[in-house]
Amino acid sequence: MRAFPLTVTALAAALLLTACDDGGGGSGNKNSSACEIGGVSLQIGSASVAPAAGDTGEVPVSITNQSTPCTLDGFPGAVVSADGTEHKVPVLKGAKAQQLKLAKGDSASFTITYVRGKAADRSSLAAKTVKITLPGSAATRSFPWSYGPIALKGAEPDAGVSAFQQVGD
């Protein structure tokens, strides 16, 4: 009997198509794949470096999509490393994530804001690198941290990452 295997095959295909539905309705042309570190160019721009202990600095990070359309949905990740230990940079208080769809060539940015600590002080983190991650991906990209020590609030860096912002049109 061929009717049974054909029915099962049709049912399986329908279930697979339903599982792929993004639930958003519309034209079905939406691309919900997360942006990947390997598919974007990632740069740390000219920073507004905190000049002295207690001052606030800002480090802009820009992302330009180099491949197929992708989505930034959530917050960027930043981890600073010092003396073999890693410290996750929290999201800035009050920041609200927005979903950004990036076509090839589109750009977005976010900012790492930090309070400068005192050099060689126990209440400061002598950061050497910062690792960046994108939401929905575990891949990282490391950059040197050359903006001075970061003050600590308890055991955490006195720093934060902002939400993504669309760059350009």
Side-chain angles (χ1 to χ4, degrees):
M1 275 204 236
R2 287 209 163 259
F4 181 72
L6 223 53
T7 304
V8 171
T9 303
L11 180 59
L15 287 173
L16 283 173
L17 288 174
T18 303
C20 292
D21 184 9
D22 64 5
S27 65
N29 289 333
K30 292 181 181 180
N31 183 335
S32 61
S33 63
C35 293
E36 297 279 341
I37 292 280
V40 300
S41 75
L42 198 58
Q43 291 184 306
I44 289 188
S46 297
S48 171
V49 177
D55 291 340
T56 300
E58 294 184 334
V59 180
V61 180
S62 62
I63 299 130
T64 302
N65 186 11
Q66 302 293 320
S67 61
T68 60
C70 64
T71 302
L72 295 170
D73 191 8
F75 287 95
V79 174
V80 290
S81 300
D83 301 324
T85 62
E86 294 188 333
H87 299 268
K88 183 177 182 196
V89 178
V91 172
L92 286 171
K93 288 184 181 180
K96 297 200 184 304
Q98 61 177 331
Q99 185 182 76
L100 296 179
K101 294 182 188 283
L102 300 180
K104 185 174 183 176
D106 285 352
S107 297
S109 68
F110 70 93
T111 302
I112 302 169
T113 302
Y114 72 101
V115 175
R116 187 170 183 140
K118 294 179 185 174
D121 189 54
R122 293 182 70 174
S123 63
S124 296
L125 180 66
K128 302 292 183 214
T129 60
V130 60
K131 285 188 212 173
I132 305 295
T133 59
L134 300 178
S137 174
T140 64
R141 177 129 180 243
S142 292
F143 296 92
W145 182 268
S146 57
Y147 314 109
I150 301 171
L152 292 172
K153 272 188 181 176
E156 298 299 316
D158 192 356
V161 294
S162 71
F164 291 106
Q165 298 293 319
Q166 190 84 41
V167 175
D169 301 357

